[in-house]
Amino acid sequence: MAQITLKQIGHSYSGGTRPGDYALCPLDMTWHDGRTYALLGPSGCGKTTMLNIVSGIVTPSQGRVWFDQRDVTGLPTARRNIAQVFQFPVIYGSKTVYQNLAFPLVCRKWASDRIRRKVGEIADLLDLGAKLGKPARGLTADEKQLISLGRGLVREDVSAVLMDEPLTVIDPQMKFHLRRKLKEINDRFKLTLVYVTHDQDEAMTFASEILVMSGGRVVQSGPPEHLFEFPQTTYVGYFIGSPAMNFLDAEGQGDRAVFAGIPLTTAYPGDRVPQGAIRIGVRPEYLEFVATAGENVLAAMVVDVQDHGGVRIVEVEVGGARVKVKLAREKPVPEGPALLRLPPGKIRLYRDGELVPLD
Amino acid sequence: MLAVTLNAENLSVSLDGTVHLDHVDFTLARGRLYTVIGRTLAGKSTLLRVIAGLLEPDSGRITLDKRQFSGLPVWRRDVAMVYQQFINYPHLSVLDNVAFPLRRRGTPKHEARRRAGELLMRVGLEGFETRRPSQLSGGQQQRVALARALAKQAGILLLDEPLVNLDYKLREQFREEFRGLFAGQADMIVVYTTTEIGEAMMLGHEILVLHEGRLLQMGRPADVFERPASTTVAEIVNDPPMNLLDGHIADNTLHFSSGMGATLPLHMVALPPGRYRFGIRANDLEMRPDGAIGGEVIVAEVSGSETFLHLDTAIGPLAVKCEGIHPLALRTQVRLALEPERLFAFSPEGGLVAAP
């Protein structure tokens, strides 16, 4: 598959070039061969515009699109050699599953025994082997989506697979199975895959890299675990992870972050701690209840416990704020007053909503 | 407080030759929230539809305070319902959607609208009164449906997987709000169906576990979670489902059928020798370099802040849940530690015989 490079790509549907005109603000981007990218964000964030620029459905108002060494900016979708899976399955309902999967190869004038072998191989992979003779219209929505994908996979020369919210029409109970199937295929084929979604779980599961988008911009990009550990903005800290990252109003004083009058140690080098108003971000997974007072230990009061089965979510009041602590079921839950520790290495500092870099 | 109960006796429903409810009995009390957990086609929606009167049972009956309830038409049942789909009147404003049940009952227009406004505030839709449902997001549309159901002030509120079509951040937010919204509804019986065990546990005063139309267990969430009556319940009330491994107990040792052995944990010493099925939760397996069990990653999935690993291991396929985000590629080799103290034991027929 191909490496996709976007150079100063931007799109304004009105043609204007003021900041407010852009559906997608100008950006540079490289998507590497064999990796999976999720464009994640709410509707109107620019993710579909970006995908449509890559597929050729939208011609960008500025910038160039490259597939490897080839400038495809002016090429129509049909000449870009991409496979697409849309929100709604696109299949030939009157044709059989076999005919649907074979169609791109018949168009390429492959020999029939070669087609049979290839279609059989892909159908097995998609668990559609037993249904090859059936008319496609009788299949379930998730099977139809797999056919849409399969039509891309049978072609050996595809540059990239683009998916636009492919699980939208899938029965919620079936989403789990289809997600797993797509993930397996993806791990095995090493597709250059660009996947548009508004669902965090989908993005985190599929993608080697996630681009969190908002207002036509990429707010943060990186591997899922990086987004989880180092959310670039308080928004990303809220959006990624469950429950959301806790945020506490604090003040930078010297090399300390002072919360509720108590100076806290962080992993930030002393001169990196911004002075004045800041926010402390710390994930519910990293807060600990401890037995004795000490560094970064605060007096807290347990106000609510939610039993989720494998974990409990404990809500505590600390220094006039409320935070959530995620505890494995086997860990004891304090009642009433408790001591809460903020591990220095897990504290992130935010100024004006943006992460203060650690190094 | 009135001691008001909804009683189901021997309810059975078949549709097109498929059993949806199979001799179901239960008693629900006012002022409590019941979550019904089960997979797709477990009979959850059918149960709600029977209570609502949208479906007549083939046999059995429902009584409300010992008065016959089955047979009553829907509109006389004092029931409100919220569905998976966001169902609202498209031609009415948000405010009028919520005022609708009040108006139908003859509440004067001004009063109906005032109360609808209050309810919209409670569900967080203040400022959206004049919009049409189509101008709202999915989450907001469901809030309208919820406010309208509350406006009915029915004695029985039924919610059929109300969050299933929302993404996880919204589900998380709704669940938190539900706890507040349903607390203090002392005069209502709330029945809430879901496929997510975390949701069922945090919202329900009691859980009903439904499978293939049968009510397998009913009880306090922690009791059901800690002492699942059968392997089927254990699979349903754990996400990912509890891992089950065949084995036997002999010579005070626990043997998995793969050949691996382990010291018999204290809670199993009283069990007679013989065949068992052993269960372990996905979050009770630990990935450790010195773990005794070797395995290979088949697929890694992220849910919220957790990673579900599906592994092929020396003792069979296992699911492991780890805190945090762990991007492990297909076929990565891992090692697992299994603490026998965390094992459940079930009879070969599936009944629970020992729990940690």
Side-chain angles (χ1 to χ4, degrees):
Chain A
M1 294 208 171
Q3 170 169 310
I4 299 170
T5 311
L6 309 182
K7 283 190 184 151
Q8 276 305 299
I9 281 291
H11 189 67
S12 130
Y13 287 98
S14 66
T17 53
R18 281 171 307 184
D21 293 330
Y22 286 104
L24 181 66
C25 299
L27 53 82
D28 290 310
M29 188 70 58
T30 303
W31 290 331
H32 297 280
D33 188 1
R35 289 178 66 80
T36 308
Y37 298 86
L39 311 183
L40 172 66
S43 31
C45 72
K47 58 187 194 294
T48 300
T49 301
M50 195 188 299
L51 192 78
N52 288 344
I53 287 171
V54 176
S55 67
I57 293 170
V58 168
T59 305
S61 55
Q62 65 184 80
R64 316 296 301 173
V65 182
W66 295 75
F67 285 7
D68 292 328
Q69 269 57 260
R70 203 157 59 104
D71 183 344
V72 298
T73 317
L75 291 184
T77 305
R79 291 188 51 206
R80 294 192 182 197
N81 202 14
I82 46 171
Q84 293 190 85
V85 181
F86 300 98
Q87 291 187 12
F88 302 96
V90 180
I91 53 155
Y92 308 103
S94 60
K95 292 187 193 293
T96 63
V97 173
Y98 182 90
Q99 288 167 328
N100 266 278
L101 291 174
F103 185 73
L105 306 180
V106 172
C107 295
R108 282 169 175 71
K109 306 208 186 329
W110 280 29
S112 59
D113 59 331
R114 192 176 163 211
I115 294 181
R116 201 171 309 119
R117 248 180 314 168
K118 190 71 195 177
V119 169
E121 180 195 320
I122 297 298
D124 278 347
L125 180 80
L126 301 175
D127 296 332
L128 291 172
K131 302 206 163 148
L132 281 174
K134 298 231 162 76
R137 86 160 70 75
L139 301 184
T140 59
D142 53 306
E143 289 169 330
K144 288 178 183 168
Q145 278 304 55
L146 285 174
I147 294 180
S148 312
L149 175 64
R151 276 207 312 266
L153 296 178
V154 292
R155 291 150 54 189
E156 288 166 341
D157 56 346
V158 165
S159 300
V161 178
L162 309 181
M163 295 184 148
D164 189 358
E165 306 257 9
L167 303 189
T168 305
V169 293
I170 308 300
D171 174 18
Q173 323 303 338
M174 287 306 299
K175 275 186 184 168
F176 179 72
H177 297 281
L178 190 56
R179 260 170 67 174
R180 180 178 301 181
K181 197 74 220 170
L182 290 176
K183 170 81 175 159
E184 261 177 56
I185 292 163
N186 187 26
D187 280 354
R188 186 162 145 190
F189 275 70
K190 296 284 170 229
L191 309 171
T192 303
L193 182 94
V194 185
Y195 188 105
V196 164
T197 181
H198 66 271
D199 184 300
Q200 299 87 333
D201 281 357
E202 259 173 61
M204 302 281 272
T205 293
F206 284 123
S208 34
E209 198 164 314
I210 296 177
L211 290 78
V212 182
M213 298 187 66
S214 173
R217 290 175 197 281
V218 176
V219 183
Q220 184 172 12
S221 68
E225 66 277 21
H226 187 80
L227 265 55
F228 181 76
E229 292 291 342
F230 303 96
Q232 185 59 42
T233 63
T234 49
Y235 172 73
V236 177
Y238 160 80
F239 198 61
I240 300 285
S242 177
M245 193 176 224
N246 294 303
F247 290 102
L248 300 168
D249 290 325
E251 199 176 310
Q253 285 179 19
D255 60 353
R256 300 299 184 91
V258 178
F259 168 68
I262 297 165
L264 300 174
T265 307
T266 68
Y268 285 82
D271 57 353
R272 278 281 180 182
V273 177
Q275 304 300 292
I278 52 174
R279 298 185 91 189
I280 290 173
V282 59
R283 293 234 172 247
E285 287 80 4
Y286 297 136
L287 289 168
E288 316 167 313
F289 290 111
V290 292
T292 51
E295 187 190 62
N296 282 17
V297 174
L298 304 172
M301 181 68 81
V302 173
V303 290
D304 186 34
V305 180
Q306 293 173 12
D307 189 347
H308 288 238
V311 295
R312 290 195 174 89
I313 309 294
V314 183
E315 198 168 344
V316 302
E317 221 168 64
V318 58
R322 288 217 171 182
V323 296
K324 290 197 166 116
V325 184
K326 195 168 173 183
L327 278 189
R329 187 175 195 84
E330 58 273 15
K331 297 227 176 115
V333 181
E335 275 177 51
L339 294 173
L340 188 69
R341 179 170 177 269
L342 285 66
K346 295 299 184 185
I347 292 178
R348 310 282 174 256
L349 301 180
Y350 291 82
R351 177 147 210 158
D352 302 328
E354 289 273 336
L355 178 69
V356 179
L358 266 148
D359 43 24
Chain B
M1 198 180 88
L2 294 166
V4 187
T5 56
L6 182 78
N7 201 53
E9 282 169 51
N10 210 16
L11 281 186
S12 289
V13 175
S14 288
L15 295 167
D16 304 325
T18 312
V19 177
H20 283 239
L21 289 178
D22 190 0
H23 301 92
V24 170
D25 294 284
F26 55 77
T27 300
L28 310 181
R30 208 152 263 195
R32 293 178 74 75
L33 193 155
Y34 299 86
T35 45
V36 182
I37 176 103
R39 298 171 182 152
T40 317
L41 305 181
K44 303 187 296 298
S45 298
T46 305
L47 179 63
L48 294 194
R49 293 179 60 199
V50 169
I51 296 175
L54 298 167
L55 196 65
E56 278 302 312
D58 300 335
S59 66
R61 60 182 203 143
I62 300 180
T63 54
L64 188 66
D65 292 336
K66 305 213 171 104
R67 288 193 317 272
Q68 180 67 16
F69 195 55
S70 357
L72 279 183
V74 180
W75 54 274
R76 290 192 50 202
R77 284 202 183 200
D78 193 26
V79 166
M81 193 148 168
V82 177
Y83 299 85
Q84 294 182 10
Q85 299 80 10
F86 317 130
I87 299 177
N88 292 300
Y89 300 105
H91 62 291
L92 295 180
S93 71
V94 165
L95 188 73
D96 288 334
N97 258 280
V98 180
F100 188 82
L102 295 165
R103 290 287 290 144
R104 254 186 53 153
R105 270 211 315 246
T107 312
K109 188 166 185 175
H110 180 74
E111 172 64 10
R113 294 188 126 207
R114 189 188 62 76
R115 296 226 319 253
E118 278 174 16
L119 282 164
L120 284 172
M121 205 145 75
R122 274 180 64 196
V123 299
L125 278 185
E126 211 182 350
F128 290 86
E129 291 80 358
T130 57
R131 308 256 188 115
R132 292 289 161 96
S134 60
Q135 296 171 299
L136 302 179
S137 70
Q140 290 165 338
Q141 289 179 42
Q142 194 65 320
R143 286 175 192 278
V144 177
L146 192 66
R148 193 175 58 248
L150 291 172
K152 250 180 126 176
Q153 289 183 299
I156 301 168
L157 174 61
L158 308 173
L159 301 111
D160 192 8
E161 298 190 48
L163 306 185
V164 78
N165 285 311
L166 301 172
D167 74 20
Y168 98 62
K169 217 63 216 183
L170 268 173
R171 293 203 298 272
E172 187 182 293
Q173 202 181 327
F174 265 93
R175 280 181 207 127
E176 295 261 323
E177 292 179 30
F178 280 174
R179 276 165 62 94
L181 206 56
F182 297 135
Q185 299 283 353
D187 49 353
M188 246 192 213
I189 295 173
V190 185
V191 189
Y192 185 111
T193 69
T194 178
T195 55
E196 290 196 33
I197 184 60
E199 184 170 307
M201 289 197 59
M202 74 168 277
L203 289 178
H205 295 108
E206 284 187 61
I207 291 187
L208 288 81
V209 183
L210 212 55
H211 182 67
E212 293 177 351
R214 285 183 306 127
L215 178 59
L216 299 187
Q217 192 170 359
M218 179 172 172
R220 286 177 48 232
D223 293 342
V224 175
F225 189 75
E226 276 157 19
R227 298 192 57 83
S230 65
T231 47
T232 309
V233 175
E235 288 184 291
I236 294 168
V237 302
N238 283 280
D239 181 28
M242 185 183 280
N243 295 297
L244 294 168
L245 299 159
D246 287 327
H248 65 276
I249 292 174
D251 310 324
N252 276 319
T253 310
L254 187 158
H255 302 270
F256 294 115
S257 52
S258 59
M260 222 177 97
T263 321
L264 201 61
L266 204 58
H267 64 282
M268 290 188 198
V269 289
L271 294 180
R275 286 173 52 230
Y276 292 95
R277 299 192 77 192
F278 298 108
I280 186 142
R281 291 200 185 109
N283 46 331
D284 285 336
L285 287 162
E286 198 188 345
M287 281 207 294
R288 274 202 335 228
D290 62 341
I293 306 162
E296 190 178 85
V297 175
I298 301 173
V299 65
E301 294 169 300
V302 176
S303 175
S305 315
E306 291 156 347
T307 306
F308 295 177
L309 297 175
H310 299 272
L311 307 170
D312 245 344
T313 77
I315 59 171
L318 290 177
V320 178
K321 181 151 89 178
C322 328
E323 274 302 321
I325 313 296
H326 305 277
L328 290 171
L330 187 76
R331 284 193 257 287
T332 305
Q333 302 293 318
V334 297
R335 299 211 67 84
L336 291 178
L338 182 156
E339 296 291 336
E341 282 69 31
R342 306 301 309 158
L343 284 171
F344 291 76
F346 300 92
S347 70
E349 294 74 37
L352 181 72
V353 292

